[in-house]
Amino acid sequence: MIAAEFTAALPEPQIILGLRLWPLSLGRYRLLKRFESPFVDESPREISVQELTKELFFALLICGLPVSEFKSYLMQPKLLAKQAKRFGKIAGKHTKQKGFSILPCFEQFKIYCAEATAMPWHPLSTSRTNESESISHWSHSMEICLRSNAGWTAEEIEEEPMAKAMTDFFKYMESQGSVRLISHEDYSAMEAHGEANAKAFEEYLATLN
Amino acid sequence: MGLNLESTISLNSASFERGMHRVKESVADSIKSFAIGAIGVATVEEAFRRTIETADELVNTAKRLGTTVEQVQLLRQAAKEAGTEMETVSTALEKINQARAKALGGDRAASAAFGALGVSQTDLKTKRAADLFMHEISETVKKVSPEQIAQPLREVLGRGAGQGIAVLKTDFDELDKKMQGFMMSGEVAEKLKQLSEGLSFMGTVLIVQLAPAILWCADALLTLMKSAINFAQWVDKKTGLGDAAKISGALSGQTDLKGQAKILGSILIQDIKNGGKITEEQRQSILKANGVDPARLDKDVKDSAGDSFMVFADKIKSTIDALLSGKLKGFDQEADFNATADVAKKMRGNGRIESDSLVKVGNFLGSNIGAVHAAARMEQYSKTTVELLRGVNQTLKTIQVQLPTKNFGGNGSLDGRMKNSSNYSGIMSLMDIPQS
């Protein structure tokens, strides 16, 4: 197990606007996706700062609570309101500070998402067949794979860090021969090697013309 | 309670979809609105209002100090880390401007002071006070002991020079890196300022792609698309066998490597078959040189355009094998042969097969085919065959970047074991090239 794998299992805690966030898990990611949070949008989106501020507060609320608790609050609006008010009070103290800007909070949340899903290594596809892709979202495929093959429970899906889920998922895929895991350094070296080779070959061919 | 599930859903498919869309929006939006309401609309608005105020103040400060919004934030952070106030830095910048005016006006003491702080006359004429503070003066302060430059510092920064030294010792490049993403850009600050002045109703921020879990896929896709389009351009420019626009278009949205190879192959074959941009003579030469039966080619193109490229690639390989073993006679392209051989010899340099350039090219081919083996072949290929192989190898290169070389039949290095290697099984099966 390399150091990054330990980090994947226990990421650094993040605090944004005074709220300590739970690690971004598959469950939390899917909640963000369900509520169409721009922070998990797979394509660039233009959005006003006002709207994005609201989205950030809501995303923080999702990530500041255990997934099962948040889900249960959806059926108990009074409890959801209580939690939201508590968070609002804490956040309010921060927003009143001199020189406050919400923009760094956006960046911090982006980093939270990026760090939570940073891969300890680079997976390379070794697929030799031309299978068509599943229409299911990758997060669902990952859950099915982890639960049926890696012994993950529903609770782990909801709460374990996404990076840990990805680590286990790709480890399993590697054991099946679908991917090969290489270090980011090796991948970079491989890319550089390919580029250098292509350039050398280009130069060589130029001499032919 | 804010949940609203009252949207009507009918079984008419169009209105059903519309209804579903409304339900989805309604539930998600109402929960969000409810939660935001509970957090406190005032808190959320306060966050936004404060951001605008901060932007307004940053733009004004930047204008007052004759610097950029980003520099103001950097200097503010540096002051904070040095345990002093931004006011100290603002005063220092104003003093620099005053001293600069003196120096440019012919004041010898001021000029000498700037000189002692590493600021040239050109710098004085072209750079902003903040630039001089964060670069030239800061660099000098870091290198020289404060006692040695106390007098020039006082001359340039005024009485507050002592407090300014702590800020000047900041590694501004490092701080800039650290604050990347956390600083408000000048453009955004200006937009927000306009918002505060009622000049604009909406300030927009472009959110970059944020789904990091699939970032590596996107990364790989970009690499693939780039190499595929490069390949298309190469085909267009160098060989005339394909049309870059057509290939690029055909590849758009194609994420699968093998699929890419098939599309490329299909287009190349069609062009060869139809003449494309090449002359009939060239076309015949290619077909002849590679032992391709035009009738077979027709059938391949008709039956399965993509796979036929793999068959075609296999034909090239067979031709090469035949050439090497001397089975193929009457190969009438002596000029091409010699030209290629000359280049290969030059690349070898003094007969050493390990020469750098040969190793590089060998590596390229060798990762897939066998370095030395491939290099040796170069001397025997016709120019046309090399050109065609180049197309194949560009495709292989794309795959090589994506896949570990061991999957290409174990030919991943230039060590002795590879010298006689002709094992293509890995790459051939990868590309669906039939193995005889």
Side-chain angles (χ1 to χ4, degrees), chain B residues 21-61:
Chain B
H21 193 59
R22 276 204 303 274
V23 169
K24 194 177 100 180
E25 278 186 352
S26 177
V27 173
D29 288 352
S30 56
I31 290 173
K32 253 187 221 175
S33 302
F34 174 75
I36 297 294
I39 287 169
V41 174
T43 307
V44 179
E45 281 177 357
E46 169 90 353
F48 179 60
R49 191 176 57 78
R50 286 272 181 186
T51 305
I52 290 179
E53 278 177 11
T54 303
D56 192 39
E57 190 266 326
L58 280 172
V59 172
N60 291 340
T61 309

Side-chain angles (χ1 to χ4, degrees), chain A residues 130, chain B residues 258-259 261-267 269-270 273 295-313 431-432 434:
Chain A
N130 199 15
Chain B
K258 206 175 76 171
K262 285 185 177 182
I263 290 170
L264 292 169
S266 164
I267 291 171
I269 286 168
Q270 284 289 359
K273 179 176 165 286
R296 167 75 180 152
L297 189 63
D298 274 348
K299 188 174 178 297
D300 286 335
V301 172
K302 193 178 166 190
D303 291 348
S304 168
D307 285 333
S308 63
F309 178 63
M310 308 309 165
V311 175
F312 191 55
M431 295 181 73
D432 273 359

Side-chain angles (χ1 to χ4, degrees), chain A residues 101-138:
Chain A
S101 165
I102 194 72
L103 305 186
C105 301
F106 297 152
E107 187 64 24
Q108 224 179 323
F109 195 75
K110 269 169 65 180
I111 291 173
Y112 161 77
C113 293
E115 284 185 352
T117 51
M119 299 289 288
W121 9 248
H122 200 105
L124 295 173
S125 169
T126 57
S127 173
R128 290 178 179 189
T129 54
N130 199 15
E131 321 99 308
S132 57
E133 283 183 17
S134 166
I135 56 160
S136 180
H137 191 263
W138 60 263

